[in-house]
Amino acid sequence: MCQLLGMNCNVPTDICFSFEGFSARGGRTDHHSDGWGIAFFEGKGCRMFLDAQPSVASPVAELVRNYPIHSTHVIAHIRKATQGEVALHNCHPFRRELWGQYWVFAHNGNLPDFEPENLGFYQAVGNTDSEKAFCMMLETLRSRFPEGKPDIKELYSVLQEITYTIAKLGIFNYLLSDGEHFFAYCSTKLSYIVRQAPFAAAHLIDQDMTVDFREVTTERDRVAVIATTPLTDNEVWTQIQPGELLVFQDGLPLKYAFS
């Protein structure tokens, strides 16, 4: 299956270190070689890079590894195709507009025989189960809240309802963001780490590369990194529990109840 990478932080931060290790899984340290993509929220804008080539061989991925784009919300994906051919239109993440904001989504898993009906406004361009699930999620939110975006508690409640409905049909790990809140759902496997003061050095699993975050951060910085499997071997990552939908904001998972 595919691999997910996300970042949510309280100040715009680059993801070059994490992406260096993550992109190696797209054909070098793992077999996820059917395309890749990454999205960066920048204010109301959203900068996206997609390529059907493996990330280890993609000149576009090389650009991202060396271009320190600063963002508070980032979603990346490397693909191991289960549904749909290897093609640009099937590369994650996917992007759509809802309530005057961009929404970005990436999925790891497989939803066999998933054919949602009456999608209405949102239609899939490619032929993956992932994009169809994203369209169904946004179509449901749009129909439930036609007047505009609700508060986070109402949004979370309906998103959780849609998520559980889809997750019954297969494996449905995903990352989702509108540039304001960052959602992470674990169906089978997803972990995160929060880096904040006092910072320390981190060493990648997939590359012999170390960064001492004390040299590149301030005392107020806080960064949450979410990945299918941990990216570093000298830090403690938290496993998200299967069936758990987390909301990250300003580099922290929100702990209050949404009931």
Side-chain angles (χ1 to χ4, degrees), residues 8 36 150:
N8 171 257
W36 70 278

Side-chain angles (χ1 to χ4, degrees), residues 2 6 9 30 35 43 46 56 62 85 88-89 106 110 115 119 121 123 133 140 151 174 187 210 255:
C2 308
C9 36
D30 215 327
C46 181
V56 294
E62 182 67 18
E85 69 272 19
L88 189 64
H89 58 259
N110 189 28
E115 292 294 340
L119 285 179
F121 185 81
Q123 299 291 327
T140 304
D151 64 37
Y174 74 73
S187 177
T210 300
K255 297 295 185 182

Side-chain angles (χ1 to χ4, degrees), residues 7-252:
M7 183 181 75
N8 171 257
C9 36
N10 64 340
V11 295
T13 305
D14 78 70
I15 200 171
C16 293
F17 175 70
S18 294
F19 188 72
E20 184 75 36
F22 180 71
S23 62
R25 298 176 179 180
R28 182 179 299 128
T29 61
D30 215 327
H31 56 273
H32 305 82
S33 56
D34 297 328
W36 70 278
I38 190 167
F40 301 84
F41 281 91
E42 298 177 63
K44 292 195 69 175
C46 181
R47 191 191 308 246
M48 292 188 68
F49 299 89
L50 301 169
D51 198 348
Q53 294 187 56
S55 55
V56 294
S58 167
V60 184
E62 182 67 18
L63 167 68
V64 173
R65 283 193 291 269
N66 292 286
Y67 182 18
I69 300 171
H70 290 79
S71 173
T72 55
H73 294 70
V74 179
I75 293 178
H77 181 275
I78 49 178
R79 187 172 183 238
K80 176 64 177 175
T82 53
Q83 296 189 36
E85 69 272 19
V86 177
L88 189 64
H89 58 259
N90 285 328
C91 290
H92 310 215
F94 302 103
R95 178 177 62 183
R96 296 289 194 280
E97 178 275 333
L98 174 62
W99 303 315
Q101 293 176 279
Y102 285 122
W103 288 72
V104 172
F105 171 88
H107 165 225
N108 162 28
N110 189 28
L111 302 169
D113 305 316
F114 178 64
E115 292 294 340
E117 299 179 355
N118 303 318
L119 285 179
F121 185 81
Y122 294 101
Q123 299 291 327
V125 175
N127 49 2
T128 65
D129 52 336
S130 308
E131 189 180 12
K132 293 172 187 174
F134 182 37
C135 289
M136 178 180 172
M137 293 165 76
L138 293 189
E139 187 67 33
T140 304
L141 290 174
R142 185 174 183 265
S143 64
R144 293 284 188 93
F145 306 107
E147 301 303 317
K149 186 177 180 179
D151 64 37
I152 183 58
K153 290 186 178 181
E154 290 182 287
L155 178 61
Y156 179 90
S157 178
V158 174
L159 186 58
Q160 186 179 56
E161 176 188 328
I162 307 164
T163 297
Y164 288 169
T165 298
I166 298 174
K168 292 176 182 177
L169 305 176
I171 298 174
F172 192 50
N173 305 291
Y174 74 73
L175 302 178
L176 172 72
S177 180
D178 64 347
E180 184 177 357
H181 292 93
F182 192 107
F183 301 90
Y185 178 73
C186 178
S187 177
T188 55
K189 186 187 293 185
L190 202 60
S191 298
Y192 73 91
I193 187 169
V194 174
R195 296 188 180 115
Q196 58 189 345
F199 289 95
H203 180 264
L204 291 174
I205 293 172
D206 299 89
Q207 297 270 52
D208 187 13
M209 181 177 180
T210 300
V211 166
D212 189 341
F213 288 108
R214 289 170 294 191
E215 299 176 354
V216 294
T217 57
T218 70
E219 287 294 309
R220 67 188 185 91
D221 293 354
R222 185 171 56 243
V223 179
V225 178
I226 305 99
T228 299
T229 57
L231 295 168
T232 57
D233 54 15
N234 65 333
E235 298 179 293
V236 178
W237 290 67
T238 299
Q239 172 73 43
I240 302 175
Q241 295 303 305
E244 188 174 15
L245 176 63
L246 292 184
V247 186
F248 290 83
Q249 189 171 28
D250 296 327
L252 281 176

